[in-house]
Every structure is written in C-alpha cells, then in structure tokens.
Amino acid sequence: MKELLHPDLEYVLYTKEEIARRVEVLGEMITQEYRGKELLCVGILKGAVVFYADLIRAIRCELATDFMAVSSYGASTQTSGTVRIVKDLNEDIAGRDVLIVEDILDTGLTLHYLRRLLMERNPASIRICTLFDKRERRAADIQADYVGFQIPDAFIVGYGLDYAEKYRNLPYVGILSSRVYAK
Ligand code: IMP
Ligand code: MG
C-alpha cells in the first residue's frame, strides 16, 4: 500500500521496503563476521530503536542486547558538541565484541566520544553500524564499519529519527521541510 506523505516532509528518501532490503543485507554481513564470537549489540537511544529492532532480527548468530542513551541535539538540527551519558550500559563489555548500532552518523562527535569511552572498558572489539551516514558533515575522526545508506546533507526524519521528538513512528524516511524548523 502506498503511504501518504506527511505534510511536514518534502519527499520520501527511502521507502519502508527499501530500508527493509538494506537491513537484511547488513544483517547478513554482520552474521558472517560475528559467527562464533561474543556479539553484544548496543543500541543508541532513542533514534536507533526502530533500526535496532529490525537489524537484530536480521542477524542470524547468537547475540546479547543492551542500550545507551546520550544527549544529542535537543530540539535543534545542529549538534551541541557536548556529549552526556544519560543511560549507561547494564552489561560488562570486557572481552566482548561490541557492535554499536546508531541511526545516523553526522558530525561524528557523539560516536567518537562514545567509542573512546567504551574502549576504556577493554572490549575484545568495537565496531559501528549506522543506518545513515552524512559523510560530508564529518567533524570527528570516525567512520562506520557497516553503513546502510550514504546520504547528502539534509535533515531526515522517520524510522526512529526525530525532529523535536516528532516523526519517529513514520515507517519511511523523508526530508524534513525547512518550513518546519524555520518556525
Ligand atoms: P553527530 O554527533 O553529529 O554525529 O550526531 C548524531 C546524532 O544526531 C544522531 O544520532 C541523531 O540523533 C542526530 N541527527 C543527526 N542528523 C540527523 C538528521 O538528519 N535527522 C535526525 N537526527 C539527526
Ligand atoms: Mg541518535
């Protein structure tokens, strides 16, 4: 069934079918890599939850789950540059193979900080899987090991991604109209 476009969006960037196909491919790649290892998937709240829920079901090897919440943009579309841990992991990651699952890698400041923090806890490895990557916006020295889609510099919402806590429940991903954040 064709989705009606939300009036605050310019257009749909990826449909729910396109996202689902890509998530399956990412799941297969991760399955190949982590078979026989101690995979711990760490979802970054809240933006990654929708992607995370689909991704772990596309991974066909044993895994454990955990979540972290870090402060991010608030109601603006610009990064503040400061990262605060709002919720830490429950699991001890020493000796484990950690896969950080993120919705979108933008300036990279958040994940750069997070990776450094988790490295101090002596995991066997840390890799990053992000659904979206705005590579041209990168300000920190970080890249993802698994990327769903490379996207241009535009503000996107849906499939977990928000603007001022809205639009997370859209099943597709679209470009937010500048009318909305110019208000
Ligand atoms: P970074 O530290 O600049 O890489 O910020 C990453 C975080 O900013 C993501 O986890 C998102 O929460 C948020 N973010 C960056 N770009 C977008 C976007 O286009 N739409 C929604 N959230 C975004
Ligand atoms: Mg996020």
Side-chain angles (χ1 to χ4, degrees), residues 96-135:
R96 299 172 79 176
D97 293 294
V98 175
L99 182 66
I100 299 176
V101 179
E102 180 58 304
D103 52 357
I104 184 165
L105 194 46
D106 184 24
T107 65
L109 293 169
T110 310
L111 279 186
H112 187 262
Y113 173 86
L114 214 64
R115 189 183 54 180
R116 219 184 39 210
L117 182 101
L118 295 184
M119 280 307 269
E120 287 167 12
R121 302 180 189 180
N122 301 314
S125 69
I126 296 188
R127 287 209 174 95
I128 295 169
C129 175
T130 187
L131 183 56
F132 298 104
D133 185 7
K134 292 189 203 171
R135 198 169 281 171

Side-chain angles (χ1 to χ4, degrees), residues 40-43 52 64-68 87-92:
L40 174 67
C41 289
V42 172
Y52 184 94
T65 61
D66 206 349
F67 295 93
M68 268 183 111
K87 184 222 167 289
D88 206 337
L89 295 171
N90 295 332
E91 300 284 321
D92 179 1

Side-chain angles (χ1 to χ4, degrees), residues 9 19 47 50 103 131-132 155-163 166-175:
L9 302 192
I19 296 169
V50 178
D103 52 357
L131 183 56
F132 298 104
F155 202 81
I156 60 170
V157 294
Y159 196 71
L161 290 121
D162 76 308
Y163 172 69
K166 285 175 72 181
Y167 317 110
R168 291 193 197 275
N169 57 325
L170 296 177
Y172 52 82
V173 164
I175 308 278

